[in-house]
Amino acid sequence: MKHIALRSKSIRSGDRPYTTPGLGDRAHSVLLAYQYGKAHDTPVTLHLTSDKYGKEHKKISWKELTQMVPNNLVSIKVHPVCNLKEDEWLSFLSSNGYDAEIYYYKDSIHLHPNETVVPLEISQYLKELPCLEPIYVWPKIELPKKFITVQWDSNDSARSMPKIKRTFIENKYIEKGYDIVVVGGNSEHKILRESLPHIGYAMYHADYHVGVDSGMMHIAQFYKSYDQIHIHNEGFKSHHLYRAVKNGSKLNYTI
């Protein structure tokens, strides 16, 4: 068993706590744990401070995400502490019997002045994506024969796209014979707004996922290769976007 502790403090925002505020943060954490576990043939426990878990939507998504990776390889353990300095957080875990490590990203450390170099370098496990198969979902959903999944909504206005540009991009795929299946918050179908396993099922069967650097991009990384994920961005570029493009995702691209 490998014990990985998600950092207590933000590597982006100074002395603020890291609370996995977005779905993408949680999906990315499960993905990297799965990739580590697969590479080393070991189950992984992700250790969370309580502020990463307490809200109901976080509890639901953590459960769904860990169910979406095979072989029960990833589990989570929540602890009743938060906003500790990293050495205090690791000491707390050690005192409770967990030999846990935090990690850093070698490929994007230049973007994070608050990130410290530690022995566990995690970006090496993200160079290729796992291309998982979806788990069984019920009720079943009907999907077109040839389609892409798209998501344009984001909680961060700096990552959103104007409607006129979204329509232009989608029309390029429609001209190539693709239907459009919207996932995430703007979907007309409740199940494709709220059920991550159903969203994953749709993404698995899609030819591409197209959208912004947001939660659905991270879900797509469970099921698609980097070059099947087309990201559009005109504002803030996260380390997730930087890494995805470096590894093959298309940026501001239309087929």
Side-chain angles (χ1 to χ4, degrees), residues 166-183:
R166 303 196 307 257
T167 301
F168 172 82
I169 293 164
E170 289 181 5
N171 283 341
K172 290 295 183 180
Y173 292 87
I174 293 170
E175 290 169 3
K176 296 290 186 179
Y178 291 100
D179 286 320
I180 306 297
V181 173
V182 179
V183 295

Side-chain angles (χ1 to χ4, degrees), residues 18-210:
Y18 175 50
T19 63
T20 62
L23 171 64
D25 298 299
R26 300 186 288 279
H28 174 74
S29 300
V30 172
L31 177 67
L32 68 83
Y34 173 76
Q35 292 289 79
Y36 181 97
K38 183 177 66 171
H40 295 278
D41 192 25
T42 182
V44 175
T45 297
L46 286 173
H47 293 269
L48 315 180
T49 51
S50 60
D51 51 2
K52 297 175 176 60
Y53 185 75
K55 295 181 179 180
E56 188 62 25
H57 72 277
K58 291 186 180 183
K59 293 178 181 178
I60 293 170
S61 61
W62 279 116
K63 180 178 179 180
E64 289 183 326
L65 289 163
T66 54
Q67 291 172 339
M68 287 159 61
V69 296
N71 303 321
N72 296 313
L73 207 61
V74 180
S75 60
I76 64 169
K77 176 70 176 176
V78 185
H79 300 273
V81 294
C82 61
N83 201 23
L84 300 177
K85 294 180 180 179
E86 303 304 343
D87 57 347
E88 295 173 345
W89 171 219
L90 292 176
S91 292
F92 169 85
L93 292 172
S94 179
S95 68
N96 283 275
Y98 300 108
D99 183 18
E101 290 187 88
I102 57 174
Y103 55 83
Y104 85 105
Y105 303 94
K106 182 179 180 179
D107 65 357
S108 60
I109 193 167
H110 61 288
L111 300 175
H112 300 136
N114 300 303
E115 187 170 20
T116 53
V117 175
V118 292
L120 178 53
E121 197 290 300
I122 209 69
S123 66
Q124 63 184 299
Y125 302 103
L126 301 170
K127 292 180 179 179
E128 294 184 0
L129 296 174
C131 297
L132 300 175
E133 293 189 2
I135 63 173
Y136 177 81
V137 294
W138 185 262
K140 291 292 186 181
I141 52 176
E142 293 187 9
L143 296 168
K145 289 184 178 180
K146 182 179 179 181
F147 71 99
I148 63 171
T149 55
V150 302
Q151 182 214 16
W152 299 113
D153 60 294
S154 171
N155 292 329
D156 185 348
S157 60
R159 307 187 200 197
S160 299
M161 294 285 291
K163 183 176 180 180
I164 189 170
K165 292 187 177 180
R166 303 196 307 257
T167 301
F168 172 82
I169 293 164
E170 289 181 5
N171 283 341
K172 290 295 183 180
Y173 292 87
I174 293 170
E175 290 169 3
K176 296 290 186 179
Y178 291 100
D179 286 320
I180 306 297
V181 173
V182 179
V183 295
N186 284 344
S187 177
E188 295 179 357
H189 303 284
K190 178 178 170 59
I191 206 163
L192 291 178
R193 288 197 304 271
E194 299 180 359
S195 171
L196 297 184
H198 282 85
I199 290 168
Y201 180 87
M203 288 177 168
Y204 174 82
H205 289 283
D207 285 0
Y208 304 100
H209 174 72
V210 180

